[in-house]
Amino acid sequence: MKRPIEERPPAGDSALLRRDPEPLRASVPPAEPYPVAALGVILGEAAQALHETIKAPLAMCCQSVLAAASLAAQPHFDVLLPWGKLRPLSLFLLTVGKSGERKSGVDDVVLGAAKKQERDDLESYQVDLAAYELALDSWKQAADAARRAATSKKSGTAPATADDVLRAVQAVGEQPIPPVMPLRFLTDPTVEGQFKLMASAQPSVALFSDEGGLLIGGHALNSDNALKTMARWCKIWDGSPFDRVRAGDGAAILYGRRMALHQLAQPDVMTLLLSDRMANGQGLLSRCLVAWPESTIGHRHVERFEKPEDRREIKRLFAVLKTLMEVPPCTGKNPQELTPAELPLSGEAVDLAVAAQNQFETLMAPGADLAELPDRTSKALENACRIAGVMTAIDSGLAAREVDRPHLERALIIMQWYLREALRIRGAAAIPQSVLDAESLSSWLKDRDITMFRSKQVLNGGPSHLRNKPRLMASIKELVDNGYLLENDSGTVVDGVRAKFSWKVLHHVV
């Protein structure tokens, strides 16, 4: 009788166990400080005050402040680009922050006043809606009575004509107009749901969330809907009409709608979006301003607790945002169709824009600093003009008439930071599928305290995406090549079976 093959470490195994594994992905280089002073007195000092009181990363505070400013400015102004195109002041921002980074704390403060106003407006809306429904019911009854009276036949009279009925209904008065729903904040809308909301609610909305996983992992961006969702958001960013044609509910088109976007999410979640081929190729990410700040966790010591809302800088920002949010924007005949005022660039600002565009073009040449980011760089000047327009609206309020050179200079400083940030995180975001699968496999092995395994164990009971043999073997190869796994001798007993192929766990990915 043959003796069973004993489990024994292969030659050289002890040396391998002492060797540190290679990292599976490149570490993100340190971030440069956000040019907070370039945001100006109102926005910049408010962001600094948030950073000092909440202790969240400064870049995260700047992102939230800039997003709130974009939401407040976009219904009132469009920026007239130097080449003659009129564009919204809508900004799309993405912020990476790990759990515990106080993303919610920052967003709650910055958007607290606007969300409270939305709640208050909803209470008034319920009253107005009840009055509207009562008025509509009365109007319908009166219109029906007028039709019956117009069409009732009397002896010796001619039958009523269409004009008779029309005049009778017109005499009742105009049909009541429904109140506009005050909802401004969206979290995880589908394209269809967003269309219906923007048809009945505010024409200026915010796709904001301090838990971006709801959107990135939600219905709007799943494999079936991602392309149409991203394409629609790009069109809204451009200021294009929101059209929709369906067999069931007909065709409709919405003009004069605006949407600002800010999603805060943890690194693993945001990396899914930043590394997504469709999001990059389709053009959504080229429109986004992304920040991945250094963590402040472990360095948030305080001498005393302070409420951010008590700071003078925050109160000043709230006063400016409140004015812009409460003043009814310019609209056409349809109260939900925005007709924002034009903000052209001053002559000096146009000269600066020409120089900046030429510099960006030079930096996109093969081998130049921004050659790897042609999509982001090609939209850099437009994003800078939008930022300059937002800052102008914040600094001058509704009296703003043009974007001057100083505002554009500061916006270009900020835009250069975003381009450097995009280059910095590019390597961390462009992660091969095999590496993501390797990290998933290592986590699964660690959670189950598995120190030796064969492929069948994973194919039968492992993560669903690794029950595909080519993907599983590619992930195992990554872990073997980088020193996390060691292939056993053929015939090693694993799980009571002499396995042709099996692996020993040396390290876990952390």
Side-chain angles (χ1 to χ4, degrees):
M1 179 177 178
K2 289 185 178 181
R3 296 177 59 190
I5 297 175
E6 297 179 357
E7 295 183 15
R8 56 182 177 79
D13 188 31
S14 59
L16 283 169
L17 286 169
R18 291 194 298 270
R19 189 183 74 187
D20 289 334
E22 294 293 322
L24 289 182
R25 60 170 84 179
S27 59
V28 183
E32 293 185 20
Y34 193 102
V36 61
L39 285 173
V41 174
I42 296 175
L43 295 178
E45 291 186 2
Q48 188 68 45
L50 286 168
H51 172 61
E52 292 171 1
T53 54
I54 298 178
K55 305 295 183 180
L58 178 58
M60 182 182 293
C61 298
C62 292
Q63 291 278 92
S64 289
V65 165
L66 195 53
S70 173
L71 172 62
Q74 69 181 6
H76 299 289
F77 299 103
D78 286 342
V79 64
L80 183 62
L81 300 175
W83 50 93
K85 294 291 186 182
L86 202 58
R87 290 290 185 259
L89 294 188
S90 308
L91 298 177
F92 283 13
L93 301 112
L94 302 174
T95 306
V96 186
K98 60 185 180 181
S99 181
E101 208 68 80
R102 297 178 178 168
K103 301 186 291 294
S104 301
V106 173
D107 239 28
D108 286 348
V109 172
V110 174
L111 301 175
K115 290 188 174 181
K116 181 180 183 302
Q117 180 185 335
E118 184 182 76
R119 288 194 299 271
D120 293 343
D121 290 346
L122 275 171
E123 293 180 6
S124 299
Y125 169 76
Q126 296 299 330
V127 175
D128 293 342
L129 182 62
Y132 160 74
E133 290 175 344
L134 181 61
L136 179 63
D137 183 62
S138 299
W139 181 88
K140 287 180 177 178
Q141 291 186 40
D144 289 342
R147 290 190 190 95
R148 289 194 299 271
T151 57
S152 61
K153 293 183 180 181
K154 296 182 180 179
S155 176
T157 61
T161 65
D163 287 341
D164 293 334
V165 175
L166 178 60
R167 283 192 295 270
V169 173
Q170 287 176 337
V172 174
E174 294 186 358
Q175 181 174 338
I177 299 175
V180 177
M181 190 182 300
L183 291 178
R184 290 188 181 90
F185 292 95
L186 317 178
T187 302
D188 178 25
T190 62
V191 168
E192 295 79 10
Q194 185 172 347
F195 181 92
K196 290 181 179 179
L197 178 69
M198 296 183 81
S200 61
Q202 295 293 320
S204 172
V205 298
L207 185 53
F208 288 179
S209 177
D210 54 21
E211 189 49 73
L214 294 173
L215 181 70
I216 297 169
H219 188 74
L221 293 179
N222 66 21
S223 58
D224 294 330
N225 298 317
L227 180 57
K228 68 176 180 181
T229 298
M230 292 178 187
R232 177 54 61 190
W233 290 345
C234 288
K235 297 292 284 183
I236 294 177
W237 186 85
D238 293 339
S240 300
F242 195 159
D243 60 291
R244 185 167 179 263
V245 179
R246 294 291 183 273
D249 50 7
I253 185 166
L254 307 178
Y255 293 98
R257 270 38 174 206
R258 298 291 183 265
M259 183 184 83
L261 181 149
H262 186 206
Q263 295 292 308
L264 299 103
Q266 297 180 23
D268 289 346
V269 173
M270 190 65 79
T271 298
L272 294 175
L273 179 60
L274 296 178
S275 61
D276 185 80
R277 292 180 62 186
M278 186 182 299
N280 281 280
Q282 190 275 337
L284 175 65
L285 293 180
S286 67
R287 292 164 166 80
C288 293
L289 305 172
V290 185
W292 191 329
E294 297 292 306
S295 174
T296 57
I297 296 175
H299 306 280
R300 301 177 298 194
H301 305 98
V302 298
E303 294 181 359
R304 62 185 178 87
F305 290 107
E306 184 179 10
K307 289 179 62 177
E309 296 88 347
D310 291 339
R311 289 285 291 263
R312 173 185 58 83
E313 302 91 333
I314 302 297
K315 291 180 179 179
R316 180 175 56 194
L317 175 63
F318 280 178
V320 172
L321 295 179
K322 187 173 187 290
T323 298
L324 290 172
M325 295 286 284
E326 288 184 348
V327 172
C330 294
T331 59
K333 293 181 179 179
N334 183 342
Q336 292 174 278
E337 187 175 309
L338 296 170
T339 56
E342 294 184 11
L343 275 184
L345 272 61
S346 69
E348 291 184 344
V350 170
D351 293 340
L352 176 61
V354 170
Q357 179 61 34
N358 289 333
Q359 184 65 25
F360 285 136
E361 191 66 27
T362 299
L363 291 172
M364 285 191 286
D369 291 348
L370 298 176
E372 296 181 10
L373 295 174
D375 54 342
R376 273 74 163 174
T377 309
S378 64
K379 287 186 169 52
L381 181 57
E382 178 172 344
N383 257 323
C385 290
R386 290 174 183 240
I387 294 170
V390 169
M391 294 191 299
T392 299
I394 293 299
D395 291 342
S396 300
L398 297 174
R401 292 296 177 266
E402 67 176 11
V403 176
D404 60 21
R405 183 183 178 104
H407 279 95
L408 184 57
E409 284 178 343
R410 291 194 279 116
L412 285 167
I413 290 172
I414 294 170
M415 195 62 228
Q416 290 174 70
W417 182 87
Y418 281 117
L419 290 172
R420 289 193 296 271
E421 184 75 347
L423 281 174
R424 183 180 74 89
I425 66 179
R426 184 177 179 85
I431 304 170
Q433 186 63 55
S434 59
V435 170
L436 295 174
D437 289 344
E439 292 174 343
S440 177
L441 174 60
S442 182
S443 176
W444 184 81
L445 294 169
K446 181 180 180 181
D447 289 345
R448 286 153 184 78
D449 199 26
I450 296 174
T451 58
M452 191 132 15
F453 71 98
R454 55 198 179 102
S455 59
K456 189 173 182 180
Q457 292 171 267
V458 186
L459 291 170
N460 288 346
S464 58
H465 57 281
L466 293 181
R467 297 183 189 184
N468 173 293
K469 191 163 186 178
R471 284 185 66 172
L472 173 61
M473 298 311 295
S475 67
I476 289 174
K477 185 177 186 304
E478 287 283 356
L479 294 173
V480 170
D481 290 348
N482 289 285
Y484 294 89
L485 301 179
L486 179 68
E487 186 173 349
N488 293 324
D489 290 338
S490 179
T492 299
V493 175
V494 177
D495 198 28
V497 176
R498 290 181 180 177
K500 184 176 182 181
F501 298 106
S502 65
W503 297 268
K504 179 189 292 292
V505 179
L506 304 179
H507 302 276
H508 293 103
V509 180
V510 294

